Amino acid sequence: MVVTTGTNELETSDGSTYDGRAERISFDDSKTGVKGLVDSGITKIPRMFHSGKLDLSETSLSASNIISIPIIDLQEVNKSSSLHAEVVDQIGSACRKWGFFQVMNHGVGVDVLDEMICGIRRFHEQDAEVRKTFYSRDSNKRVRYFSNGGLLRDLDQPANWRDTIAFVANPDPPNPEEIPATCRDIVAEYSKKVRALGVTILELLSEALGLDPSYLKKMDCSEALFIMGHYYPACPEPELTLGSTEHTDMDFMTILLQDQMGGLQVLHENQWINVSPVHGALIVNIGDLLQNGPCTREKQFVKSG
C-alpha cells in the first residue's frame, strides 16, 4: 500500500519514505538511461517506471485478429490518373477512420530502413561513457541523447522504459561531426529519403482534403523534420511498465519506422489494435496539428529476454 503524503514523497506500508523526484534526478544524473539500469544487472525496476495494472494480453485484443490498419501501396501512384485517385481516396478514408496507415513501395529502400534500425541500435548499445557525451536535456541542441523528455517535468506520470537519440534534420541540420559516428551516414541518408516521402504524403493529403496538391507544402508543413531513435531494452519486470504509454503525437505528421518485434498498438473504436510489423513498410500517423491525432502505446520493447 502507498499513501500520498506530499507532491513528490510517498509513505509506504513499512513506514519508509519514497521520494519520486529524487529517484528521477538520480536516474537522470547517471546519463546512461534505461540501458544503464539493465547493464547494472537490476532485477527490480525503479518505481518511477511503474505504470499501474496493465492488461496487454492477446485476449484483451481479440479484435486485432480481424482488424488491422490500412496498408496503402504507393508504387502506382503516378502511373495513371485513375490509380492516383484511388490512392488519394484510400489515404482520405484511412485518415478519417483511423488516423493511421502503412505505406509500401514508398521510395525508401529496405536496405536504408534496416540500416537505420541497426545504426540507432549501435548507438544505444555502445559503451556508456561514449553515450554520456551526447546526453542532454537542452532542447536547443541539434543532436541529443536522453531518457524520457518529461522525466523531471511530468512527475505524476510513469516514466517510459526507453532511451532516445534525437536529431534536428531540417531546416537547420547538424554538422556531420555532431552526429554519433555509429549512425552518422545512415541518419543523413534516411533523413533525405524520409523528407522526400513526407512531401509526397503531404501532397496526397492535400488532395484528400479536396485542395491543391501543393497546399500543405506551401503552408511550410514540410519544413520541420525531427528524428527520434527510440531504444527499448529488455525489462526484468515487463508486466509493470510500458515502452511508450498511451499518447497522441503533438506534431503534424509522424512517419514511423517499426522494427520486427511488434508491440505498437492503436486505439480504434475503443479497442487497442496490434499493428503487426510489415518489413519494408512505414507507418504514417496523423498528428494533433492536422486533427485530433489517434492514440497509441507501445509494449513490445519491455518483453524480457
Side-chain angles (χ1 to χ4, degrees):
M1 181 180 68
V2 176
V3 180
T4 302
T5 60
T7 303
N8 300 312
E9 291 190 354
L10 299 175
E11 183 179 332
T12 62
S13 56
D14 62 3
S16 61
T17 299
Y18 166 69
D19 188 335
R21 181 175 178 79
E23 181 178 61
R24 291 173 182 242
I25 291 174
S26 176
F27 170 77
D28 198 52
D29 285 346
S30 75
K31 299 184 178 181
T32 58
V34 173
K35 183 62 162 61
L37 293 177
V38 173
D39 290 344
S40 72
I42 64 165
T43 57
K44 300 288 184 180
I45 66 173
R47 190 175 300 180
M48 67 183 193
F49 292 103
H50 289 198
S51 294
K53 183 175 177 57
L54 301 176
D55 183 6
L56 301 173
S57 64
E58 291 298 324
T59 55
S60 69
L61 300 168
S62 57
S64 67
N65 295 323
I66 57 175
I67 301 176
S68 60
I69 70 171
I71 299 178
I72 299 173
D73 192 338
L74 299 183
Q75 187 171 25
E76 307 295 331
V77 69
N78 293 318
K79 293 295 179 65
S80 71
S81 58
S82 60
L83 290 173
H84 184 93
E86 183 178 338
V87 170
V88 170
D89 288 344
Q90 289 174 349
I91 287 179
S93 175
C95 290
R96 288 189 300 271
K97 296 177 181 179
W98 287 85
F100 244 91
F101 56 91
Q102 297 196 68
V103 289
M104 293 290 295
N105 298 310
H106 38 64
V108 185
V110 173
D111 56 336
V112 174
L113 302 180
D114 290 346
E115 177 58 20
M116 184 63 176
I117 291 173
C118 290
I120 296 302
R121 183 180 295 119
R122 284 195 299 270
F123 171 82
H124 288 288
E125 293 182 352
Q126 67 184 324
D127 187 86
E129 293 304 315
V130 179
R131 295 200 313 272
K132 280 183 179 182
T133 63
F134 294 94
Y135 200 91
S136 176
R137 294 209 169 270
D138 183 357
S139 59
N140 292 317
K141 285 184 174 292
R142 293 181 292 183
V143 178
R144 63 189 181 103
Y145 163 57
F146 59 95
S147 185
N148 287 268
L151 181 74
L152 304 180
R153 180 186 67 241
D154 304 326
L155 300 179
D156 59 336
Q157 298 297 318
N160 293 314
W161 188 261
R162 75 172 184 220
D163 300 326
T164 303
I165 177 73
F167 314 90
V168 174
N170 204 69
D172 185 24
N175 297 319
E177 57 270 20
E178 295 180 71
I179 302 175
T182 51
C183 56
R184 181 176 300 154
D185 293 341
I186 190 57
V187 165
E189 184 176 4
Y190 180 81
S191 300
K192 180 181 178 181
K193 298 282 189 180
V194 83
R195 183 161 185 260
L197 172 61
V199 170
T200 297
I201 293 175
L202 287 174
E203 291 173 347
L204 295 170
L205 283 173
S206 294
E207 292 185 75
L209 291 168
L211 304 169
D212 183 88
S214 63
Y215 187 87
L216 293 176
K217 184 178 180 181
K218 287 180 178 178
M219 291 179 62
D220 291 335
C221 294
S222 64
E223 285 304 300
L225 176 60
F226 188 61
I227 294 178
M228 303 178 75
H230 296 314
Y231 180 77
Y232 308 78
C235 179
E237 295 183 295
E239 71 280 3
L240 298 181
T241 190
L242 286 168
S244 182
T245 50
E246 181 179 319
H247 69 282
T248 60
D249 284 0
M250 295 184 292
D251 58 10
F252 191 89
M253 176 177 69
T254 299
I255 298 178
L256 173 65
L257 169 58
Q258 187 181 18
D259 65 15
Q260 299 304 299
M261 290 182 65
L264 176 66
Q265 297 177 332
V266 177
L267 188 62
H268 177 66
E269 297 180 352
N270 297 316
Q271 177 75 52
W272 285 105
I273 305 298
N274 285 337
V275 181
S276 300
V278 177
H279 192 215
L282 286 165
I283 301 170
V284 179
N285 178 5
I286 301 304
D288 295 342
L289 296 183
L290 180 58
Q291 195 175 16
N292 290 336
C295 194
T296 67
R297 65 183 183 183
E298 293 175 272
K299 68 183 178 82
Q300 84 273 23
F301 311 102
V302 301
K303 291 179 180 177
S304 60

